Each structure stands twice: as structure tokens, then as C-alpha cells.
Amino acid sequence: MGGEGKVYTLAEVSQHNNAKDCWLIIEGKVYDVTKFLEDHPGGDEVLLSATGKDASDDFEDVGHSSSARAMMDEFYVGDVDTSTIPTKTKYTPPKQPHYEQDKTSDFVIKLLQFLVPLLILGLAFGVRFYTKSPA
């Protein structure tokens, strides 16, 4: 297309977000997919929902074929200024206090090793006591 080599900001690309004018950002490149909306196997909603952001992950998650990737060249209009795309923040879990699980499990095991035999012994005496017939 005519815009090859032009650099767009995310804001500029985001303005092209409807069925009559639909642009996507995939792997740092800008594509005008307006003419492809009706032919897209996943439907036009899939493409329209990917406007206004970096759609690279959406594109990769689907697992497009090599022929689909080759088709992209005809829709290429330029590149995106990557400094205008917000960086993804990596999730870091909150810090939690150190927990000594080994000590707790040892205590529970020793407690059970003491109480379970006592419980069995008590149950055996109870059954014997109540099942004894009066003489």
C-alpha cells in the first residue's frame, strides 16, 4: 500500500477502529485490514476487538497459518512508534512472611502418632466393655 515506511503513533492507529476503517498493530507493524473484515475466517468482530492496542498476542494465540501470515503483506501500511505503546507490567506476587512448614508438619505427625494408637486402644476397650454380657 501507499503508506509503506511511515511511522504511526498508537493514538493515530487507534482512530481507525470501525468497520469502515480498521487498522491493527501486530509485531510493531501497522495493517489496514478494512478490506479483509468480511473475509476473515473468525469474523469481523475479532479484528475490530483488536483495534487500539498491540494485537500481537491476540494474533499469536490463534496460531495463524503461514499463508495467513503471507497475506499480511498486502495490508501493511507502516510501522508503529513503539514508545507510544504502554509497556506490559509483569505480575509480581506480594511478599509474604517466611513460613516454616517443616516444623508444623513434624509436630502434627508426632501428635497423630501419639493420639491415633490411644484412640484405637480406647475404642477397643469401649467395644469390649459394652459387648460383655452381664453374668
Side-chain angles (χ1 to χ4, degrees), residues 114-130:
F114 176 74
L115 290 179
V116 169
L118 282 178
L119 182 65
I120 292 172
L121 187 61
L123 187 60
F125 278 121
V127 168
R128 185 166 183 217
F129 177 75
Y130 285 110

Side-chain angles (χ1 to χ4, degrees), residues 59-115:
F59 182 81
E60 294 299 330
D61 288 346
V62 175
H64 287 87
S65 65
S66 56
S67 61
R69 292 175 188 277
M71 286 177 66
M72 294 171 62
D73 289 342
E74 67 183 271
F75 301 110
Y76 174 77
V77 293
D79 295 313
V80 69
D81 179 358
T82 54
S83 67
T84 63
I85 297 176
T87 57
K88 296 176 187 173
T89 56
K90 182 181 175 188
Y91 174 75
T92 50
K95 293 199 185 271
Q96 297 187 1
H98 184 64
Y99 180 67
E100 290 288 336
Q101 183 178 0
D102 292 340
K103 289 182 180 177
T104 302
S105 62
D106 285 345
F107 173 74
V108 171
I109 289 171
K110 287 181 181 181
L111 184 64
L112 288 175
Q113 286 175 338
F114 176 74
L115 290 179

